Amino acid sequence: MPNSTKYIFVTGGVSSSLGKGIISASLAKLLQSRGYCATIQKFDPYLNVDPGTMNPYEHGECYVTNDGAETDLDLGHYERFLNVPTSQANNVTTGRIYQTVINKEREGAYLGKTVQVIPHITDEIKRRMKLLGDSGNFDFVITELGGTVGDIESLPYVESVRQLKWELGGNSLVIHLTLVPYLSAAGELKTKPTQHSVKTLLEYGVQPDILVCRTERHLPQDLRKKIALFCNVTTNAVIESIDAESIYDVPILMMKEQLDKVVLSKLKLPLKQDPDLVNWKDFLGKLKNPVHEIDIAAVGKYIELKDAYKSISEAFIHAGVSNETKVNVKWISSESLTAENVADKLKGFSGILVAPGFGDRGIEGKIATVKFARENKIPFLGICLGMQCAVIEFGRNVLGLKDAHSTEMNPDTMNPVIALMEEQKKITAKGGTMRLGEFPCNLKKASKAASVYNKTAIKERHRHRYEFNNSYLSKYEDAGMTASGINPEGNFVEIVEIKDHPWFIGVQFHPEYKSTVESPHPLFVKFIKASLG
Ligand code: GLN
C-alpha cells in the first residue's frame, strides 16, 4: 500500500567514508529479516548524469544493474546484503535531476514561470525519492544521501528531506551518521563534532531522529546521554557503530544496538518477528573459521584503489565462504608484469584472475598473465577485458596470429580478434552507450561453463563495447578454445574456455555483480574450488 510506505533518510556528517551505504544496507537487512520488504536508493550530489563516465580513481567501481544502469558501488552492497536486484530508480544524481528539469523546461512544461532550485529542482528530487515507494511494493524505502551535510552540493537534497519530512509526517524518519573520534592525547571520545554536525542539519530545518555514531571505542552510557541531550534525540536513539572486522558483521552489530527496534518503534510499526539471520550467521561463522586458505592473484590496473574492483573482492569473499576457504586476493598491477618477470611474480598463486578494464595501459601485462596461466595449467578466470585478453593471447601464441589484438588498443591490427560490436559503430556519445545490463546466454551442453552453472540458460550483466570477432571462431575452436556461451539474439561469444586445461574460463560479462551473501556466484565458487584442487 503506497500510503503505508515508510521513508527513512540517511544523511552523513563530520566526514565522508563513514559507511552510510553499509549502515543503510544493514538496517534494510534487519527489516527484511523481520519480514518487511525494504529497498534502498542512493542520491548522489555530483553533476555527472551517472558514474559511468568516471574513472574508477574518482568514484570506485561502477556497478551495473540488470536494467543496464551504471551506478554507484553502494548499490552493489544493497544487492549483496538483501539479495534483491536494484535498478536505475535506485540511483539518482544531481546531473540526472537537472537534465530532467531542463528537458521539461525546453518542452514548455513550466511555460511562463521562472525555473528555480526551489521548488523545481526540489520537486524533481522529491518525485524521485518517492518513486520506488509509489510502486506499492515496499514497506520501507531507505534513501541514502551521498556527500556530507554542509556541502554546497548536498543542500537541495537536505532541503527536499526537510520538505518531505513535513509532508510525510509520521511516515518518515531521518538517521544521521556521524563520527565520535577518540583523541588519544586527551584519552577521550569527543562528541563535539557530532553536536556541530547536528546543528548544521538543524540550520537547514532537519531534526534527525536517530544518530548512528561511528567510533573506534565503545560509547559509554553517559556519553550517549550527553549526545542525546545536546542533539534532541532519545538516548536509545544514539546508536554505536564500532569499527568492524568485516562489513558483514555490521547487521549483527546494528541488531545488538537495536537499530531496527528503535526505527520500528519510532514509526509505530510492530516488531513482527525476531530477525531471522540464521543463514547470515552461518555465513559469518564460516567467514571467521575457514578450513582452507589459498592465494589468488588478481591482475588489474587500478590496484591502488581497493574500491575499484569492489564487487570482485566481495565475490571472492562469498565464494571463499562456500568453499570454507580464506581467499587471500593479491592485487597485482598489470603494468608491473612483463613476459620476462611474470613467472616470478605469479609464482605460488593457486589461481589467477584478469580483471575488467578499458584502454591500452597495462594490456601487455595482462596478456603475459594469461599466457602464464594457460601454459602452466593454473586455474584462470578472465572477466570482460580479461576474457578479451585470453582471446588475444590464444590468437597470438596458439594460432600464430602475431599481431592479434583488440581494435580498442590497436585499430590497425591485421588480426582484430576482438572488435567493436556492430551496434556500437554508429555511437559517438560516451555516456550510457555501452552494451549494458542483463542479456541471455546459452551454454553448450557438456561444457565446463554448463557444469559450473549446472544449467544451460543463464542471464548475466554486461558493460562493454567490444566483442569476440566471429570470423575467427572456427580457427579458435579447431585449436582448442571453445565458445561455450553464446548470446542467442546477436550470436555473440560470451564465454570461452580451453579444453585442454584444468580450469580456464573467460567471460565477456561481469559475474561479480550478481554475487551475494545468499547466492555466491557459481563461477567464483567453482574457480576457488578448482584453485583448491
Ligand atoms: N574495454 C573492453 C570493452 O569495452 C572491456 C570492458 C570491460 O572490461 N568492462 O569491450
PDB file of all heavy atoms in Angstrom, residues 32-33 38 46 57 64 107 125 179 190 199 249 319 321-323 327 357 380 413 425-426 499 519 521:
ATOM      1  N   GLN A  32      14.272  -6.574   6.632  1.00  0.00           N
ATOM      2  CA  GLN A  32      13.924  -7.722   5.776  1.00  0.00           C
ATOM      3  C   GLN A  32      13.839  -9.005   6.607  1.00  0.00           C
ATOM      4  O   GLN A  32      12.927  -9.811   6.436  1.00  0.00           O
ATOM      5  CB  GLN A  32      14.993  -7.856   4.688  1.00  0.00           C
ATOM      6  CG  GLN A  32      14.723  -8.919   3.635  1.00  0.00           C
ATOM      7  CD  GLN A  32      15.965  -9.165   2.774  1.00  0.00           C
ATOM      8  OE1 GLN A  32      17.054  -9.435   3.281  1.00  0.00           O
ATOM      9  NE2 GLN A  32      15.799  -9.071   1.465  1.00  0.00           N
ATOM     10  N   SER A  33      14.797  -9.163   7.532  1.00  0.00           N
ATOM     11  CA  SER A  33      14.844 -10.403   8.303  1.00  0.00           C
ATOM     12  C   SER A  33      13.712 -10.474   9.332  1.00  0.00           C
ATOM     13  O   SER A  33      13.466 -11.511   9.924  1.00  0.00           O
ATOM     14  CB  SER A  33      16.195 -10.537   9.002  1.00  0.00           C
ATOM     15  OG  SER A  33      16.276  -9.605  10.051  1.00  0.00           O
ATOM     16  N   ALA A  38      12.018  -4.141   2.099  1.00  0.00           N
ATOM     17  CA  ALA A  38      12.735  -2.859   2.097  1.00  0.00           C
ATOM     18  C   ALA A  38      13.578  -2.712   0.839  1.00  0.00           C
ATOM     19  O   ALA A  38      14.098  -3.694   0.314  1.00  0.00           O
ATOM     20  CB  ALA A  38      13.634  -2.771   3.329  1.00  0.00           C
ATOM     21  N   TYR A  46      26.717  14.765  -7.334  1.00  0.00           N
ATOM     22  CA  TYR A  46      27.566  15.302  -8.421  1.00  0.00           C
ATOM     23  C   TYR A  46      26.761  15.537  -9.704  1.00  0.00           C
ATOM     24  O   TYR A  46      25.625  15.075  -9.837  1.00  0.00           O
ATOM     25  CB  TYR A  46      28.773  14.398  -8.670  1.00  0.00           C
ATOM     26  CG  TYR A  46      28.444  12.940  -8.873  1.00  0.00           C
ATOM     27  CD1 TYR A  46      27.889  12.486 -10.059  1.00  0.00           C
ATOM     28  CD2 TYR A  46      28.684  11.999  -7.865  1.00  0.00           C
ATOM     29  CE1 TYR A  46      27.590  11.153 -10.249  1.00  0.00           C
ATOM     30  CE2 TYR A  46      28.375  10.657  -8.044  1.00  0.00           C
ATOM     31  CZ  TYR A  46      27.841  10.250  -9.248  1.00  0.00           C
ATOM     32  OH  TYR A  46      27.534   8.934  -9.434  1.00  0.00           O
ATOM     33  N   TYR A  57      39.283   5.790 -10.277  1.00  0.00           N
ATOM     34  CA  TYR A  57      40.008   6.548  -9.249  1.00  0.00           C
ATOM     35  C   TYR A  57      39.135   7.650  -8.655  1.00  0.00           C
ATOM     36  O   TYR A  57      39.311   8.066  -7.523  1.00  0.00           O
ATOM     37  CB  TYR A  57      41.276   7.193  -9.825  1.00  0.00           C
ATOM     38  CG  TYR A  57      42.362   6.197 -10.146  1.00  0.00           C
ATOM     39  CD1 TYR A  57      42.955   6.156 -11.396  1.00  0.00           C
ATOM     40  CD2 TYR A  57      42.790   5.290  -9.183  1.00  0.00           C
ATOM     41  CE1 TYR A  57      43.955   5.235 -11.690  1.00  0.00           C
ATOM     42  CE2 TYR A  57      43.777   4.365  -9.463  1.00  0.00           C
ATOM     43  CZ  TYR A  57      44.364   4.344 -10.721  1.00  0.00           C
ATOM     44  OH  TYR A  57      45.342   3.440 -11.005  1.00  0.00           O
ATOM     45  N   VAL A  64      26.771  -2.194 -12.183  1.00  0.00           N
ATOM     46  CA  VAL A  64      25.767  -2.261 -13.244  1.00  0.00           C
ATOM     47  C   VAL A  64      24.582  -3.116 -12.788  1.00  0.00           C
ATOM     48  O   VAL A  64      24.762  -4.209 -12.246  1.00  0.00           O
ATOM     49  CB  VAL A  64      26.369  -2.838 -14.545  1.00  0.00           C
ATOM     50  CG1 VAL A  64      25.312  -2.962 -15.627  1.00  0.00           C
ATOM     51  CG2 VAL A  64      27.520  -1.966 -15.024  1.00  0.00           C
ATOM     52  N   GLU A 107      10.685  21.705 -23.180  1.00  0.00           N
ATOM     53  CA  GLU A 107       9.400  21.243 -23.735  1.00  0.00           C
ATOM     54  C   GLU A 107       8.273  22.227 -23.446  1.00  0.00           C
ATOM     55  O   GLU A 107       7.198  22.138 -24.028  1.00  0.00           O
ATOM     56  CB  GLU A 107       9.005  19.889 -23.112  1.00  0.00           C
ATOM     57  CG  GLU A 107       9.787  18.703 -23.637  1.00  0.00           C
ATOM     58  CD  GLU A 107       9.686  17.503 -22.687  1.00  0.00           C
ATOM     59  OE1 GLU A 107       8.816  17.499 -21.789  1.00  0.00           O
ATOM     60  OE2 GLU A 107      10.506  16.578 -22.844  1.00  0.00           O
ATOM     61  N   ILE A 125      13.529  16.161  -7.140  1.00  0.00           N
ATOM     62  CA  ILE A 125      14.200  15.277  -6.166  1.00  0.00           C
ATOM     63  C   ILE A 125      13.141  14.509  -5.365  1.00  0.00           C
ATOM     64  O   ILE A 125      13.223  13.286  -5.211  1.00  0.00           O
ATOM     65  CB  ILE A 125      15.117  16.084  -5.213  1.00  0.00           C
ATOM     66  CG1 ILE A 125      16.306  16.669  -5.983  1.00  0.00           C
ATOM     67  CG2 ILE A 125      15.608  15.207  -4.057  1.00  0.00           C
ATOM     68  CD1 ILE A 125      17.191  17.603  -5.153  1.00  0.00           C
ATOM     69  N   LEU A 179      30.544  10.950  13.316  1.00  0.00           N
ATOM     70  CA  LEU A 179      31.779  10.380  13.849  1.00  0.00           C
ATOM     71  C   LEU A 179      31.973  10.843  15.293  1.00  0.00           C
ATOM     72  O   LEU A 179      31.800  12.019  15.608  1.00  0.00           O
ATOM     73  CB  LEU A 179      32.947  10.871  12.985  1.00  0.00           C
ATOM     74  CG  LEU A 179      34.348  10.405  13.380  1.00  0.00           C
ATOM     75  CD1 LEU A 179      34.514   8.911  13.126  1.00  0.00           C
ATOM     76  CD2 LEU A 179      35.402  11.182  12.592  1.00  0.00           C
ATOM     77  N   LYS A 190      35.202  12.120  21.778  1.00  0.00           N
ATOM     78  CA  LYS A 190      34.733  13.506  21.709  1.00  0.00           C
ATOM     79  C   LYS A 190      33.391  13.622  20.974  1.00  0.00           C
ATOM     80  O   LYS A 190      33.242  13.090  19.867  1.00  0.00           O
ATOM     81  CB  LYS A 190      35.790  14.356  20.984  1.00  0.00           C
ATOM     82  CG  LYS A 190      37.054  14.543  21.807  1.00  0.00           C
ATOM     83  CD  LYS A 190      36.723  15.372  23.038  1.00  0.00           C
ATOM     84  CE  LYS A 190      37.944  15.636  23.910  1.00  0.00           C
ATOM     85  NZ  LYS A 190      37.552  16.262  25.178  1.00  0.00           N
ATOM     86  N   LYS A 199      23.857  20.395  14.530  1.00  0.00           N
ATOM     87  CA  LYS A 199      23.475  21.813  14.434  1.00  0.00           C
ATOM     88  C   LYS A 199      23.367  22.251  12.976  1.00  0.00           C
ATOM     89  O   LYS A 199      22.464  23.019  12.610  1.00  0.00           O
ATOM     90  CB  LYS A 199      24.498  22.691  15.160  1.00  0.00           C
ATOM     91  CG  LYS A 199      24.344  22.640  16.665  1.00  0.00           C
ATOM     92  CD  LYS A 199      24.553  24.014  17.304  1.00  0.00           C
ATOM     93  CE  LYS A 199      24.276  23.942  18.797  1.00  0.00           C
ATOM     94  NZ  LYS A 199      25.420  23.409  19.562  1.00  0.00           N
ATOM     95  N   ASP A 249      29.670  -8.037   9.386  1.00  0.00           N
ATOM     96  CA  ASP A 249      29.364  -8.018  10.817  1.00  0.00           C
ATOM     97  C   ASP A 249      28.349  -6.926  11.158  1.00  0.00           C
ATOM     98  O   ASP A 249      27.719  -6.976  12.216  1.00  0.00           O
ATOM     99  CB  ASP A 249      30.640  -7.694  11.634  1.00  0.00           C
ATOM    100  CG  ASP A 249      31.602  -8.859  11.686  1.00  0.00           C
ATOM    101  OD1 ASP A 249      31.128  -9.996  11.814  1.00  0.00           O
ATOM    102  OD2 ASP A 249      32.827  -8.631  11.592  1.00  0.00           O
ATOM    103  N   ALA A 319      32.546 -16.594  -2.360  1.00  0.00           N
ATOM    104  CA  ALA A 319      32.975 -17.897  -2.900  1.00  0.00           C
ATOM    105  C   ALA A 319      33.886 -18.606  -1.909  1.00  0.00           C
ATOM    106  O   ALA A 319      33.848 -19.828  -1.778  1.00  0.00           O
ATOM    107  CB  ALA A 319      33.685 -17.698  -4.231  1.00  0.00           C
ATOM    108  N   VAL A 321      33.712 -18.374   1.373  1.00  0.00           N
ATOM    109  CA  VAL A 321      32.869 -18.931   2.426  1.00  0.00           C
ATOM    110  C   VAL A 321      32.225 -20.228   1.951  1.00  0.00           C
ATOM    111  O   VAL A 321      32.206 -21.227   2.679  1.00  0.00           O
ATOM    112  CB  VAL A 321      31.802 -17.902   2.889  1.00  0.00           C
ATOM    113  CG1 VAL A 321      30.729 -18.573   3.727  1.00  0.00           C
ATOM    114  CG2 VAL A 321      32.472 -16.787   3.680  1.00  0.00           C
ATOM    115  N   SER A 322      31.735 -20.268   0.715  1.00  0.00           N
ATOM    116  CA  SER A 322      31.054 -21.514   0.327  1.00  0.00           C
ATOM    117  C   SER A 322      32.047 -22.651   0.116  1.00  0.00           C
ATOM    118  O   SER A 322      31.642 -23.806   0.084  1.00  0.00           O
ATOM    119  CB  SER A 322      30.096 -21.331  -0.856  1.00  0.00           C
ATOM    120  OG  SER A 322      30.761 -20.801  -1.908  1.00  0.00           O
ATOM    121  N   ASN A 323      33.336 -22.342   0.029  1.00  0.00           N
ATOM    122  CA  ASN A 323      34.355 -23.399  -0.002  1.00  0.00           C
ATOM    123  C   ASN A 323      35.066 -23.531   1.356  1.00  0.00           C
ATOM    124  O   ASN A 323      36.107 -24.189   1.441  1.00  0.00           O
ATOM    125  CB  ASN A 323      35.400 -23.087  -1.074  1.00  0.00           C
ATOM    126  CG  ASN A 323      34.909 -23.364  -2.489  1.00  0.00           C
ATOM    127  OD1 ASN A 323      34.772 -24.522  -2.884  1.00  0.00           O
ATOM    128  ND2 ASN A 323      34.618 -22.323  -3.243  1.00  0.00           N
ATOM    129  N   VAL A 327      40.242 -16.732   1.242  1.00  0.00           N
ATOM    130  CA  VAL A 327      40.838 -16.406  -0.058  1.00  0.00           C
ATOM    131  C   VAL A 327      41.638 -15.111   0.103  1.00  0.00           C
ATOM    132  O   VAL A 327      41.078 -14.049   0.359  1.00  0.00           O
ATOM    133  CB  VAL A 327      39.738 -16.217  -1.132  1.00  0.00           C
ATOM    134  CG1 VAL A 327      40.370 -15.908  -2.483  1.00  0.00           C
ATOM    135  CG2 VAL A 327      38.854 -17.460  -1.221  1.00  0.00           C
ATOM    136  N   GLY A 357      38.493  -3.888 -17.700  1.00  0.00           N
ATOM    137  CA  GLY A 357      39.181  -2.614 -17.848  1.00  0.00           C
ATOM    138  C   GLY A 357      38.993  -2.003 -19.222  1.00  0.00           C
ATOM    139  O   GLY A 357      38.354  -2.587 -20.095  1.00  0.00           O
ATOM    140  N   PHE A 380      42.171 -20.281 -14.184  1.00  0.00           N
ATOM    141  CA  PHE A 380      42.146 -18.912 -14.707  1.00  0.00           C
ATOM    142  C   PHE A 380      40.711 -18.454 -14.912  1.00  0.00           C
ATOM    143  O   PHE A 380      39.877 -19.184 -15.461  1.00  0.00           O
ATOM    144  CB  PHE A 380      42.888 -18.859 -16.050  1.00  0.00           C
ATOM    145  CG  PHE A 380      42.725 -17.529 -16.757  1.00  0.00           C
ATOM    146  CD1 PHE A 380      43.566 -16.458 -16.465  1.00  0.00           C
ATOM    147  CD2 PHE A 380      41.723 -17.342 -17.711  1.00  0.00           C
ATOM    148  CE1 PHE A 380      43.404 -15.230 -17.114  1.00  0.00           C
ATOM    149  CE2 PHE A 380      41.549 -16.110 -18.353  1.00  0.00           C
ATOM    150  CZ  PHE A 380      42.391 -15.058 -18.049  1.00  0.00           C
ATOM    151  N   THR A 413      45.267  -3.365 -36.462  1.00  0.00           N
ATOM    152  CA  THR A 413      45.767  -4.740 -36.485  1.00  0.00           C
ATOM    153  C   THR A 413      45.215  -5.513 -37.677  1.00  0.00           C
ATOM    154  O   THR A 413      44.063  -5.329 -38.091  1.00  0.00           O
ATOM    155  CB  THR A 413      45.417  -5.476 -35.169  1.00  0.00           C
ATOM    156  OG1 THR A 413      45.821  -6.839 -35.319  1.00  0.00           O
ATOM    157  CG2 THR A 413      43.931  -5.450 -34.885  1.00  0.00           C
ATOM    158  N   LYS A 425      29.010   0.792 -33.693  1.00  0.00           N
ATOM    159  CA  LYS A 425      29.780   1.534 -34.688  1.00  0.00           C
ATOM    160  C   LYS A 425      29.249   2.931 -34.951  1.00  0.00           C
ATOM    161  O   LYS A 425      30.015   3.838 -35.235  1.00  0.00           O
ATOM    162  CB  LYS A 425      29.884   0.720 -35.982  1.00  0.00           C
ATOM    163  CG  LYS A 425      30.829  -0.460 -35.791  1.00  0.00           C
ATOM    164  CD  LYS A 425      31.164  -1.196 -37.062  1.00  0.00           C
ATOM    165  CE  LYS A 425      32.195  -2.294 -36.729  1.00  0.00           C
ATOM    166  NZ  LYS A 425      32.106  -3.441 -37.642  1.00  0.00           N
ATOM    167  N   LYS A 426      27.941   3.107 -34.833  1.00  0.00           N
ATOM    168  CA  LYS A 426      27.404   4.438 -35.102  1.00  0.00           C
ATOM    169  C   LYS A 426      27.318   5.327 -33.854  1.00  0.00           C
ATOM    170  O   LYS A 426      26.914   6.471 -33.910  1.00  0.00           O
ATOM    171  CB  LYS A 426      26.029   4.317 -35.783  1.00  0.00           C
ATOM    172  CG  LYS A 426      25.186   3.190 -35.232  1.00  0.00           C
ATOM    173  CD  LYS A 426      23.968   2.896 -36.075  1.00  0.00           C
ATOM    174  CE  LYS A 426      23.061   1.923 -35.342  1.00  0.00           C
ATOM    175  NZ  LYS A 426      23.728   0.625 -34.990  1.00  0.00           N
ATOM    176  N   LYS A 499      39.788 -26.443 -23.685  1.00  0.00           N
ATOM    177  CA  LYS A 499      39.503 -27.861 -23.392  1.00  0.00           C
ATOM    178  C   LYS A 499      40.632 -28.511 -22.619  1.00  0.00           C
ATOM    179  O   LYS A 499      40.424 -29.170 -21.613  1.00  0.00           O
ATOM    180  CB  LYS A 499      39.329 -28.605 -24.724  1.00  0.00           C
ATOM    181  CG  LYS A 499      37.919 -28.529 -25.289  1.00  0.00           C
ATOM    182  CD  LYS A 499      37.740 -29.598 -26.377  1.00  0.00           C
ATOM    183  CE  LYS A 499      37.005 -28.987 -27.557  1.00  0.00           C
ATOM    184  NZ  LYS A 499      37.504 -29.434 -28.862  1.00  0.00           N
ATOM    185  N   SER A 519      23.498 -15.906  -2.422  1.00  0.00           N
ATOM    186  CA  SER A 519      23.764 -16.636  -3.670  1.00  0.00           C
ATOM    187  C   SER A 519      25.142 -16.281  -4.217  1.00  0.00           C
ATOM    188  O   SER A 519      25.261 -15.458  -5.104  1.00  0.00           O
ATOM    189  CB  SER A 519      22.753 -16.275  -4.757  1.00  0.00           C
ATOM    190  OG  SER A 519      21.470 -16.249  -4.267  1.00  0.00           O
ATOM    191  N   HIS A 521      28.310 -16.383  -6.480  1.00  0.00           N
ATOM    192  CA  HIS A 521      28.259 -16.681  -7.915  1.00  0.00           C
ATOM    193  C   HIS A 521      28.982 -17.992  -8.234  1.00  0.00           C
ATOM    194  O   HIS A 521      30.118 -18.196  -7.817  1.00  0.00           O
ATOM    195  CB  HIS A 521      28.868 -15.549  -8.723  1.00  0.00           C
ATOM    196  CG  HIS A 521      28.468 -15.638 -10.153  1.00  0.00           C
ATOM    197  ND1 HIS A 521      29.009 -16.578 -11.011  1.00  0.00           N
ATOM    198  CD2 HIS A 521      27.535 -14.967 -10.869  1.00  0.00           C
ATOM    199  CE1 HIS A 521      28.425 -16.442 -12.197  1.00  0.00           C
ATOM    200  NE2 HIS A 521      27.529 -15.480 -12.139  1.00  0.00           N
TER     201      HIS A 521
END
